[in-house]
Amino acid sequence: MLNVPTQSFPAPSSQQRVSPSGQSGRNKVALKPGHSLMDWIRFAKSGKDLTGLRGRLIEVTEEELQKHNRREDCWTCIRGMVYNVSAYMDYHPGGEEELMKAAGVDGTELFDQVHRWVNYESMLKECLVGRMSTKAATAVRAILPPPPVTGLASPTSVAPLPDKDSRPRYDWFQTDGTVHLVVYTRRKIPSSGCTTVDLKAGVLRLEVLLGKMSYMIHLRLSDEVEEMLQLLSSTVHTAFSVGKIQVSIRKGAHGKWASLGQPLESHNTFVRQKDRALLYRDCVLVSKTEVNHNTYLFRLQLPAGTVMHVPVGKHVCLKALVQDVEVVRPYTPVEHIFPAASKNGSQESDLYLMIKVYPGGAFTPHLSSLSVGDRVAVSGPEGTFSLRPLRDVTNLYLIAAGTGFTPMARLIRAALEDIETIGNTKLLFFNRREEDILWRFELDELAANNGRFQVEHVLSEPSERWTGRKGPVNEPILTELLSRPDGSKCYVCVCGPAAFTELTLGLLKHQGFSEQELHAFQG
């Protein structure tokens, strides 16, 4: 089943919005005890008046909004709706300072920059003051996506189109029994894939991710196609070096079609990916395998009629209702084995997500409680990472903490098998204890058998028997382990908890790494 996102923009990007250069757009702060997301959900449902209006909804003028700009009286506008966020201030992971940037003003643009993963309508519904007055709402409407539509369509972006010469194009041809749709991207595309195809009830939706851009084909097909067709990876053929993608579909009945189909909303559009609202699909939990004492490998089966290639370094978002609040979290897919068994990675059509379960978390306990056969909503790929900056890199350094290892898993394979210029890939893997190390045997075995890969395990709370490196991430460790040989070109990827990522980026810049040599993964 496919879910079209609401205008509330539950198109999540990440808990930690970070740009490709390594500049963080959002700093998490340490919350006071009793101020987690679950605590906020309980507080918001307590029946307290969080707006100060005793349940009334009002129309808010721009002049009125501007008056409420103090810590104890803080209103903000998001997509034409006004919220009193004073009560939420101490629960906000970004801290008071960040939330106050939107005090008394329209915070839509700021929200989109750093909070796209949050379903604010659900989280702040008890804080709703009312709607902006017509005059103010008109100004806001110019930056809004159009109202949500039913079916498979996503809102059409208002972003300007690129040069016509650089835009992808498509064509089609047919036989008596099959229809073939061909997309010419006019650029090389990553070998890890970039295509998502959904075929449901005669409607075809194809999205191709090309760097920061998204190209979409969206059609109601001219005639019936084979009922209950399970699109498999073999029906989506990609010529990576020339940028050609071909999707083959079996007809329901033999014969010639006069046309491919009727265009639907967003058909043949080429827009910025961040302007394309995410589409969620109901996936089935096939299995849950223990990786270590608190981390599991979840295998999710895509719906019949869906093929999804998640590029290296991109993540998907999982969405669920937790105590009547819609919670969304980003997770980076991994291969079902490490390293991947073939040059082009696993040919599995299922998604594999390595997820640590936090007993007091807002989302992972719900996920852990699912039984085989249960469903979970999964978005298409998102993220800012690109393999392009690695084309002439000689030394690749990957610095991960805990489940921050997940985006590194597929990147290691890509570096060893797809990018010949990279002579040395080194993973610095930070964990608390020895039993926390994910896929330790596989990592150590790969390092022993491949001279181009090294792994360094660093523990902050080691046992007495541990003989490896110890301590938190710090400048001496990074100075010792990250060398810059003469004539080399280095690149560093970082992923972990927000505090770890921020500290590591600062230390790397102090060591002389430029922003162009750094990437902080989102999530």
Side-chain angles (χ1 to χ4, degrees), residues 147-312:
V149 294
T150 58
L152 287 168
S154 290
T156 303
S157 171
V158 295
L161 292 176
D163 233 1
K164 285 187 177 181
D165 290 341
S166 67
R167 296 183 74 243
R169 66 179 183 86
Y170 77 98
D171 202 349
W172 71 289
F173 63 96
Q174 62 179 315
T175 66
D176 281 344
T178 57
V179 173
H180 304 276
L181 172 68
V182 183
V183 175
Y184 302 93
T185 65
R186 302 186 178 186
R187 66 210 74 200
K188 291 183 179 181
I189 53 182
S191 59
S192 57
C194 58
T195 308
T196 301
V197 181
D198 295 293
L199 179 60
K200 181 177 174 64
V203 173
L204 175 70
R205 181 187 188 273
L206 181 150
E207 183 177 9
V208 183
L209 299 183
L210 301 169
K212 297 180 179 179
M213 304 296 290
S214 163
Y215 178 67
M216 182 175 290
I217 298 295
H218 192 201
L219 293 162
R220 182 172 298 282
L221 297 176
S222 282
D223 210 332
E224 292 183 1
V225 294
E226 188 168 295
E227 290 187 7
M228 300 302 293
L229 172 65
Q230 172 70 56
L231 273 173
L232 300 175
S233 296
S234 59
T235 66
V236 180
H237 305 277
T238 304
F240 304 105
S241 60
V242 297
K244 176 183 171 183
I245 300 163
Q246 179 174 313
V247 179
S248 301
I249 304 170
R250 289 193 293 272
K251 295 178 179 178
H254 281 240
K256 295 294 184 181
W257 288 8
S259 67
L260 181 58
Q262 177 67 33
L264 299 175
E265 185 148 7
S266 298
H267 174 65
N268 200 23
T269 55
F270 190 44
V271 301
R272 294 176 300 178
Q273 183 190 354
K274 71 184 185 70
D275 292 333
R276 180 96 70 193
L278 286 183
L279 182 73
Y280 284 83
R281 301 149 183 88
D282 280 344
C283 296
V284 176
L285 177 62
V286 175
S287 65
K288 182 175 68 174
T289 307
E290 185 177 288
V291 179
N292 67 11
H293 63 100
N294 61 6
T295 304
Y296 299 86
L297 190 65
F298 292 81
R299 179 181 179 181
L300 301 175
Q301 183 181 69
L302 295 165
T306 294
V307 172
M308 185 159 69
H309 296 155
V310 181
V312 169

Side-chain angles (χ1 to χ4, degrees), residues 312-446:
V312 169
K314 303 288 187 181
H315 58 261
V316 296
C317 301
L318 271 58
K319 177 175 70 172
L321 278 177
V322 179
Q323 295 190 17
D324 298 325
V325 173
E326 194 172 82
V327 180
V328 183
R329 289 291 185 270
Y331 296 104
T332 304
V334 298
E335 307 291 356
H336 69 290
I337 57 174
F338 177 84
S342 66
K343 180 174 177 60
N344 289 323
S346 169
Q347 295 303 308
E348 285 271 6
S349 59
D350 295 342
L351 281 177
Y352 291 84
L353 303 175
M354 187 182 291
I355 299 174
K356 180 177 179 179
V357 176
Y358 296 90
F363 189 81
T364 56
H366 166 81
L367 195 61
S368 181
S369 71
L370 297 178
S371 301
V372 170
D374 288 344
R375 296 179 180 274
V376 60
V378 180
S379 79
E382 261 230 335
T384 60
F385 181 76
S386 170
L387 288 171
R388 184 171 298 178
L390 303 184
R391 285 182 299 186
D392 55 352
V393 164
T394 59
N395 291 67
L396 176 63
Y397 296 113
L398 311 175
I399 305 176
T403 50
F405 164 71
T406 54
M408 310 304 185
R410 295 178 68 207
L411 182 52
I412 290 169
R413 184 212 54 81
L416 296 180
E417 299 187 7
D418 295 341
I419 309 176
E420 296 178 355
T421 59
I422 299 179
N424 178 43
T425 297
K426 180 182 286 188
L427 171 67
L428 279 59
F429 199 179
F430 290 81
N431 286 281
R432 293 176 63 191
R433 296 180 295 270
E434 200 167 351
E435 58 265 32
D436 296 327
I437 302 174
L438 302 171
W439 278 345
R440 181 184 180 184
F441 174 81
E442 290 82 355
L443 287 167
D444 292 345
E445 185 178 46
L446 179 62

